[in-house]
Amino acid sequence: MAFERRGAYFEIQFSLRLVTKPTSGRNSNRPVQVFRLIYLDFYVLRKSVNFEDCQMLTSYALQTMVDALPIAACVFTGPEHIITAVNQQMLAIWAKDVTVIQQTLYNAIPEIREQGFSELLTTVFSTGEEYRNPLGSALLIENGQEVLKHFDFSFKPLRDDDGTIYGVVNTAIDTSERVVAEKSLKAVNNELIALNEEQAAVNEELTSTIEQLVQTETAMQKLYDDLAASEGLLNQFIQQAPAGIAIYTGPKLIIHSINQAAQSLLPKREFLGRSVFDALPEIVGTPVAGNLLHAYQTGEVYQQSDVLIPVARVEGGELEERYFNLSYIPHRNAEGTITGLFSFTIETTEQVKARREVIDLNDRISIAVDAGNFGYTEVQLATGQMRCNAAFKRAYGRTPDQELTYPDMFAAMLPEYREEVRAKAMKARDENLLYRAEYPVRWPDGSVHWISAYGRARYDSKGNADRMVGLIKDITAEKQSEEMIINLNKSLREQEERLRLAVASANLGTWFMDVQTMAITFSDRLKQIFGYYLQDEIDFATAVNQIAESHREQVALAINAAITEGKSYDIEYPLVGYRDQQLRWVRATGKTFTSSNSDNASYFLGTIADITERKQDEQRKMDFIGIVSHELRSPLTSLNGYMQMLALKAKKTEDNMVLDIAAKAKRQVDKMSSMITGFLDVARMGETQIKLNNKAFDMADLVKAAEEESLATVTSHHVIYHPVEVTPVVADQDKIEQVLINFINNAVKYSPQGSTINVACITLDGWAHVSVADEGMGIPAKDLPHIFNRFYRVESESMKSVKGFGIGLYLCKEIIERHGGIIGVESLPEKGSTFWFRLPISN
Ligand code: ADP
C-alpha cells in the first residue's frame, strides 16, 4: 500500500498471513477445522522526505498514517518518547483520548510507568533494534478500573534518510479478546483433542466392534446353518426316536406333534391337534393328569418310572393295565414363559410283568428252598464274596449268625473231595451246565456230614460267568440209611447165603408166600417131603389136607397167625405123602417178613424138615420105655408089697434096724415107682394128655414135704429151705412136688458136693414163684433154649460122668404148662443155675 501526504511519500506494506491449519480427526463424520492466526507483519518500506521539511508534515503525516492503519498504532518521537501520533484503536487500548498527543508516554499513561515499556522504547530508540512481543500485556485503567489488556505489539525504530533514529512506531493489536478467545479456543481445542482422542479410541473400538460384528455375523450365519441342520436332525430324531415323544402346547396341553413311537403305543387312537385330556380321557382325574398340569404350571421337570395307566386300545374301549416310564419337560418362549411340555413315554408293561414274575418266582423258589430246608448260596466269582441262607450255614455246622466264607466252605470239604467238586463247578461254569456233587464236610465240632449240592453259573450281559448259585441239602441221614441198607443188604445176602447153605445142608424144604397176592412157591425139597414129583404143582389146600388130622387144625391156625399177626411157629406134625402115601414126620417153622422197601409188602417164609427118622427113633425109645416101665411095674409092685410085709414084721418084733432098712427100701421103691410113672407118662404123652388131680393146697406144705424128703435123701449138699408164707394154689400136688423134687435132684446132680442149694417159694405178682438155685456147672447159653426139650441133654466133658435120659425137665415143663404156669431157668456156666416155676395163686 502506498499513499502520499503533502509531498511525502510513504510506501507501507502490510502483510497479513492467514495460516489455516485444517485438522481432521480420524472420525470423518466430525471433521474439525481449526484456524489459527499466526502473525501480522507490517513495516515502512521507504521514507522520501527530509527531516526539517517534514517536521510538521511528519506529525501530520504520521497522524494520517497512523489513522489509516487498521490496527492500533502510535508514534513516539525523540528520546523522551513524545506521543506524536496515535490512532483511535491505540487510544481505545489505552482508554485515553487525543489529549495524550505531545505528551510523554508516562505522562499520558501513568499506570504503565512501572511496566517496562519506557525502558523498551529507550532500547529500541538507542539501538535501532526492533522489538516485538505478540503476547504483550499491560495493566491499564479503564473507567477508573484496572484492566489487564493483552496485545501483540511491536516497537520499530523510525529513521531518517541518514538512518538516524528519531522515533519509534508502536503498533499493537488488542489481543485481549483473542487471548480470551484463544484461551477458550485452547480449552475448546484441548477438549477437542480430548474428544478427538476419545473419538479415536471410540473409533478404534468401533472398528474392532465392526470387525467383531463381521465375525459374529459369519458365526451367526454358521450357527443359523447349524441350527437349521440340527433342527432337521432333531425333527428326524424325534420322529425316529424309540421313545414316544409328544409336544403339548398351551394350558390345555394340545398335542402339537407326536412321533411314531408315541402313536404306536395306541395306534388306533387320535392324538394330533387334540388336548391330551380329550385324547386320553382315561387319565382325567388320575395322578397322571395332575402331574402333567403340575409340570406345566410350575415348570418343574416330572419323571417317574413304571407308572400304571389303565388305557384302552380304542377310545372308550376296555381298559388294560399298562405301565410307562414318563417324563414331562416344560418348554418356554424367548421371554421364559412356559408354553407347553415335551412328553417322553416308554412302555414298560412287559418289563414290569417280567419283573413281577421274577419276584413271584423268586418268592416261590425261596419258599420251596426254605420248605425243603435247602441251603442257598450265591458267590461273586470276581471277589469270591458269598451270600447264603441259614440252612446253608446249618449244613456246614454253623449257626445263622456265624460267618461262613467261600474259602471256609472249601476248607470244610474233606480234602479228597475238594478238587473233584471244584472241577465239577468249573466245568459247569464253562459249559453252562448244572453240576451235581455229593461230598462230606467236617463241621467245626469235628463231626462229618454229607451234602448234596446242585449249582449253576450266572452270566452277565456279555456272557461272562459272574456268579455261581447253588442249592445244597444235608443228606447225612440219607447217606447213613443208605449205608445201613448197603450193610444190611450185605449181611442179608450173607445171611441168605448162610440160610441157603443151612437149608441145603439141613435138607430143608421151603415155601414162600406173597401175602398180598397169596401166590405160593414151593421148593423141590418140600415137594419131596410132601410126596410130590418135582414137576407136580402143589395146591395149598391139598397140602394142608395131607397133614394128619390130629395136627391139621393146629398147623393151619399157626400158619394163619404167622401170616396175619406176624407170629412165628415151630411145630412138629405127621403128614401123608401125596403120591407115595407114606407117613412122614416134619418139623415146620414159619414167619412173615415185611420188606424194608417202600412197598411194605409182606412175605411169608416156611421151612419143613423131614424128622421122620428122629421121630421113629423117639418112638422106638418111647416104645422101649413103655415096655420097660410096664414090665418093671409088676415086680416093683411085688417088691413094694414085700417091703410092707417086712416092715410090718419088724414092727412086731421091734427090730428097729430092719424097720429102718425097710423104710429106706420103701422110699427107694417109691422113687423108682415115680420114675417109672414118669416114663410111662412120657410114653403116653404122645397119645394122651397127663391127667391132673387138681386140689387146693398150700405151697408152704409142699415145700415142707420136699424139705423132709431131701433131708432124708440128700446128705452131700447144704439144702437151704427159705421160710415160706401161706401160698394157696389149686394144682395136682403130687405132680408139682415131682417138679420141685426134680429141680432139687438135678441141682444135686449137676453141682459139686458140699455146695449150697437154695430152695425158696415167694409170692410174686399173683404167682407162687418157686426156685431152686445151685452153685454148679451151669448151662451154656446155646443149650438154654432147648433145655426143656424131650431127651435134651447138654453135651460136655463134665456131663459124661452124669447119667440121665433128658426127660425130667421135659416132664416138668409139661406139668407146669398144663397147670397154666410158667417154667424157666437162668444159668451161667461154672456159676450155677436157678430153675424156677410159677403157678397162679388161688384166693
Ligand atoms: P437128665 O438129668 O436125666 O439128663 P433132665 O431133663 O432132668 O435129664 O435134664 C436135662 C439136662 O439138663 C441134663 O442132662 C443137664 O444137662 C441139664 N440140667 C438139668 N438140671 C441142671 C442143673 N441144675 N445144672 C446144670 N445142668 C442141668
Side-chain angles (χ1 to χ4, degrees):
M1 143 184 206
F3 61 91
E4 252 185 270
R5 186 97 179 170
R6 289 178 194 175
Y9 176 82
F10 294 87
E11 196 180 300
I12 300 166
Q13 187 181 321
F14 294 96
S15 160
L16 180 69
R17 262 192 287 169
L18 267 176
V19 180
T20 61
K21 189 188 172 212
T23 53
S24 73
R26 257 166 271 185
N27 185 357
S28 54
N29 292 353
R30 285 184 63 190
V32 177
Q33 295 288 340
V34 178
F35 297 92
R36 197 170 281 171
L37 184 67
I38 301 304
Y39 63 93
L40 177 77
D41 210 358
F42 134 82
Y43 37 110
V44 177
L45 292 175
R46 220 163 2 132
K47 192 184 104 189
S48 55
V49 282
N50 62 40
F51 185 69
E52 299 98 277
D53 297 339
C54 288
Q55 194 71 43
M56 234 250 326
L57 173 76
T58 304
S59 43
Y60 175 72
L62 282 175
Q63 187 60 46
T64 308
M65 187 193 71
V66 166
D67 284 342
L69 282 175
I71 55 169
C74 96
V75 176
F76 299 100
T77 54
E80 300 88 32
H81 315 306
I82 305 291
I83 300 167
T84 314
V86 61
N87 68 3
Q88 285 303 314
Q89 286 97 320
M90 188 60 90
L91 287 172
I93 290 173
W94 289 346
K96 305 290 188 241
D97 59 27
V98 287
T99 57
V100 296
I101 292 174
Q102 295 306 320
Q103 289 196 45
T104 62
L105 176 67
Y106 290 139
N107 284 340
I109 315 162
E111 60 259 39
I112 62 161
R113 196 181 283 256
E114 300 298 322
Q115 294 184 39
F117 291 102
S118 186
E119 288 78 12
L120 268 174
L121 278 171
T122 305
T123 306
V124 173
F125 190 85
S126 56
T127 64
E129 272 173 34
E130 190 180 315
Y131 174 82
R132 185 171 176 245
N133 184 1
L135 300 173
S137 62
L139 264 175
L140 295 163
I141 305 284
E142 194 173 74
N143 300 327
Q145 285 205 332
E146 252 188 7
V147 179
L148 181 65
K149 293 199 172 177
H150 299 274
F151 32 85
D152 181 349
F153 76 96
S154 66
F155 292 139
K156 284 193 176 196
L158 276 175
R159 292 173 196 267
D160 59 17
D161 293 341
D162 306 332
T164 311
I165 297 166
Y166 68 91
V168 174
V169 177
N170 168 210
T171 57
I173 299 165
D174 190 343
T175 60
S176 290
E177 273 179 34
R178 202 189 75 201
V179 166
V180 171
E182 247 178 22
K183 267 190 183 164
S184 66
L185 196 68
K186 203 170 180 182
V188 169
N189 211 23
N190 280 343
E191 206 176 298
L192 271 173
I193 288 167
L195 267 173
N196 274 351
E197 280 168 4
E198 217 173 272
Q199 193 67 37
V202 169
N203 275 354
E204 226 165 80
E205 267 170 37
L206 204 67
T207 314
S208 79
T209 307
I210 287 167
E211 279 166 10
Q212 275 174 13
L213 261 173
V214 172
Q215 279 175 8
T216 310
E217 207 177 280
T218 323
M220 284 283 283
Q221 185 58 46
K222 196 172 169 321
L223 263 178
Y224 181 78
D225 292 347
D226 285 355
L227 200 66
S230 55
E231 204 174 279
L233 271 175
L234 187 69
N235 273 334
Q236 227 178 330
F237 162 75
I238 288 177
Q239 271 315 314
Q240 290 168 9
I245 302 176
I247 302 172
Y248 307 140
T249 53
K252 287 196 168 165
L253 300 177
I254 306 293
I255 302 166
H256 170 269
S257 57
I258 180 163
N259 74 349
Q260 283 164 0
Q263 180 67 62
S264 67
L265 291 173
L266 289 166
K268 292 185 180 159
R269 303 280 295 260
E270 291 274 332
F271 290 106
L272 212 58
R274 303 175 76 185
S275 158
V276 70
F277 304 111
D278 293 338
L280 274 173
E282 298 93 316
I283 65 165
V284 175
T286 71
V288 179
N291 292 330
L292 272 165
L293 288 173
H294 184 81
Y296 180 78
Q297 283 154 7
T298 62
E300 281 169 25
V301 171
Y302 167 84
Q303 222 151 13
Q304 188 66 47
S305 303
D306 303 328
V307 181
L308 169 67
I309 310 181
V311 282
R313 284 179 192 276
V314 287
E315 218 166 299
E318 201 183 317
L319 294 182
E320 280 174 55
E321 292 207 333
R322 290 168 72 173
Y323 291 85
F324 302 92
N325 284 354
L326 301 175
S327 12
Y328 309 137
I329 302 168
H331 57 77
R332 297 165 193 265
N333 61 14
E335 284 81 47
T337 315
I338 296 164
T339 49
L341 296 176
F342 289 110
S343 112
F344 296 87
T345 313
I346 296 174
E347 176 152 19
T348 58
T349 309
E350 290 305 313
Q351 290 92 310
V352 170
K353 279 186 184 161
R355 219 176 301 138
R356 279 205 187 144
E357 265 167 36
V358 168
I359 290 168
D360 220 47
L361 200 69
N362 272 344
D363 277 355
R364 285 208 297 273
I365 289 173
S366 61
I367 288 168
V369 163
D370 286 348
N373 209 8
F374 282 105
Y376 175 81
T377 181
E378 192 174 313
V379 179
Q380 298 292 335
L381 289 172
T383 58
Q385 255 186 338
M386 186 169 84
R387 199 158 64 80
C388 58
N389 67 355
F392 191 90
K393 288 184 180 175
R394 239 183 345 260
Y396 280 86
R398 263 72 163 187
T399 60
D401 50 328
Q402 272 176 327
E403 205 193 17
L404 179 68
T405 64
Y406 193 45
D408 288 346
M409 194 184 88
F410 271 101
M413 228 173 261
L414 295 198
E416 59 267 37
Y417 286 83
R418 263 177 226 155
E419 278 324 301
E420 189 192 329
V421 174
R422 209 191 292 272
K424 274 186 178 177
M426 293 305 106
K427 188 174 184 306
R429 181 199 61 187
D430 296 339
E431 297 174 16
N432 192 3
L433 293 172
L434 185 74
Y435 78 81
R436 218 207 124 189
E438 277 184 9
Y439 49 86
V441 294
R442 196 177 294 284
W443 283 15
D445 66 6
S447 58
V448 173
H449 298 255
W450 276 84
I451 281 176
S452 161
Y454 292 84
R456 170 155 239 163
R458 292 277 179 270
Y459 302 83
D460 63 15
S461 52
K462 289 181 195 137
N464 298 323
D466 58 352
R467 286 167 298 146
M468 272 319 260
V469 293
L471 273 187
I472 65 159
K473 198 164 168 59
D474 188 328
I475 52 158
T476 312
E478 285 91 329
K479 273 279 169 190
Q480 278 170 352
S481 48
E482 203 174 277
E483 220 161 279
M484 256 166 62
I485 288 168
I486 290 169
N487 287 340
L488 205 70
N489 265 342
K490 210 169 124 195
S491 67
L492 267 178
R493 268 202 302 280
E494 283 168 9
Q495 269 181 21
E496 211 176 273
E497 194 52 39
R498 274 206 296 273
L499 193 70
R500 229 194 309 280
L501 281 173
V503 166
S505 62
N507 223 353
L508 287 177
T510 56
W511 63 287
F512 177 85
M513 179 195 273
D514 182 330
V515 174
Q516 277 70 43
T517 61
M518 300 296 273
I520 307 174
T521 46
F522 301 91
S523 73
D524 288 352
R525 174 66 189 139
L526 185 135
K527 285 182 179 177
Q528 280 180 347
I529 294 171
F530 270 72
Y532 289 85
Y533 297 152
L534 291 186
Q535 65 272 22
D536 288 340
E537 288 293 319
I538 301 185
D539 173 62
F540 186 70
T542 313
V544 171
N545 272 328
Q546 288 176 247
I547 299 169
E549 216 183 324
S550 55
H551 290 76
R552 196 180 296 153
E553 198 188 333
Q554 187 198 358
V555 174
L557 283 172
I559 291 173
N560 197 43
I563 292 170
T564 57
E565 295 163 40
K567 284 182 180 168
S568 58
Y569 67 82
D570 183 350
I571 348 170
E572 294 178 356
Y573 58 86
L575 59 86
V576 180
Y578 180 69
R579 297 256 180 201
D580 55 13
Q581 296 293 309
Q582 288 272 325
L583 182 89
R584 290 190 191 79
W585 272 87
V586 294
R587 179 177 171 194
T589 61
K591 188 168 168 53
T592 300
F593 300 88
T594 304
S595 102
S596 57
N597 293 343
S598 52
D599 53 7
N600 265 335
S602 300
Y603 304 95
F604 171 85
L605 183 68
T607 64
I608 304 283
D610 186 342
I611 55 164
T612 313
E613 221 166 282
R614 201 193 85 203
K615 273 284 169 186
Q616 283 171 348
D617 237 29
E618 274 177 22
Q619 200 50 53
R620 277 195 286 273
K621 259 188 201 169
M622 284 304 168
D623 293 347
F624 172 73
I625 290 166
I627 294 161
V628 169
S629 311
H630 191 79
E631 292 306 313
L632 282 178
R633 221 176 203 188
S634 338
L636 211 58
T637 314
S638 315
L639 194 59
N640 199 27
Y642 293 137
M643 284 299 155
Q644 281 174 354
M645 280 167 65
L646 190 65
L648 218 66
K649 184 96 190 271
K651 212 173 188 177
K652 273 184 189 163
T653 57
E654 291 183 355
D655 188 341
N656 283 340
M657 199 193 76
V658 175
L659 197 63
D660 187 43
I661 291 168
K664 281 180 179 164
K666 167 91 167 68
R667 268 203 295 276
Q668 293 301 320
V669 170
D670 284 349
K671 207 172 171 179
M672 205 165 197
S673 173
S674 80
M675 256 163 72
I676 288 164
T677 311
F679 283 143
L680 278 172
D681 284 345
V682 172
R684 275 192 226 112
M685 200 82 77
E687 305 112 50
T688 54
Q689 292 201 341
I690 302 170
K691 276 208 185 102
L692 296 179
N693 293 316
N694 282 352
K695 61 173 194 206
F697 66 92
D698 185 354
M699 281 299 285
D701 294 340
L702 186 139
V703 174
K704 191 98 203 129
E707 186 179 357
E708 277 165 17
E709 165 81 19
S710 64
L711 274 176
T713 52
V714 180
T715 49
S716 54
H717 294 72
H718 308 287
V719 186
I720 299 169
Y721 288 84
H722 293 259
V724 183
E725 289 174 6
V726 176
T727 313
V729 292
V730 174
D732 185 327
Q733 193 173 356
D734 288 344
K735 292 214 156 46
I736 300 299
E737 197 182 326
Q738 189 187 326
V739 173
L740 181 56
I741 298 287
N742 207 314
F743 281 0
I744 295 166
N745 288 342
N746 276 352
V748 170
K749 251 164 95 178
Y750 299 108
S751 60
Q753 277 199 1
S755 61
T756 306
I757 296 162
N758 283 287
V759 181
C761 173
I762 56 166
T763 304
L764 202 80
D765 297 332
W767 298 94
H769 180 91
V770 180
S771 60
V772 177
D774 64 51
E775 297 166 342
M777 62 175 71
I779 303 161
K782 69 171 173 54
D783 296 304
L784 277 175
H786 314 287
I787 211 76
F788 294 100
N789 288 357
R790 193 163 56 175
F791 306 127
Y792 194 90
R793 299 199 77 217
V794 174
E795 283 179 17
S796 68
E797 274 305 305
S798 42
M799 279 294 293
K800 280 189 179 152
S801 54
V802 190
K803 293 196 167 47
F805 293 99
I807 60 160
L809 288 179
Y810 167 70
L811 278 175
C812 291
K813 183 174 177 256
E814 288 296 322
I815 289 164
I816 295 299
E817 286 183 354
R818 298 255 160 113
H819 276 90
I822 311 165
I823 195 162
V825 61
E826 280 95 45
S827 184
L828 283 173
E830 310 306 327
K831 293 269 180 223
S833 314
T834 301
F835 281 87
W836 55 263
F837 67 85
R838 284 173 190 175
L839 289 176
I841 292 175
S842 67
N843 295 309

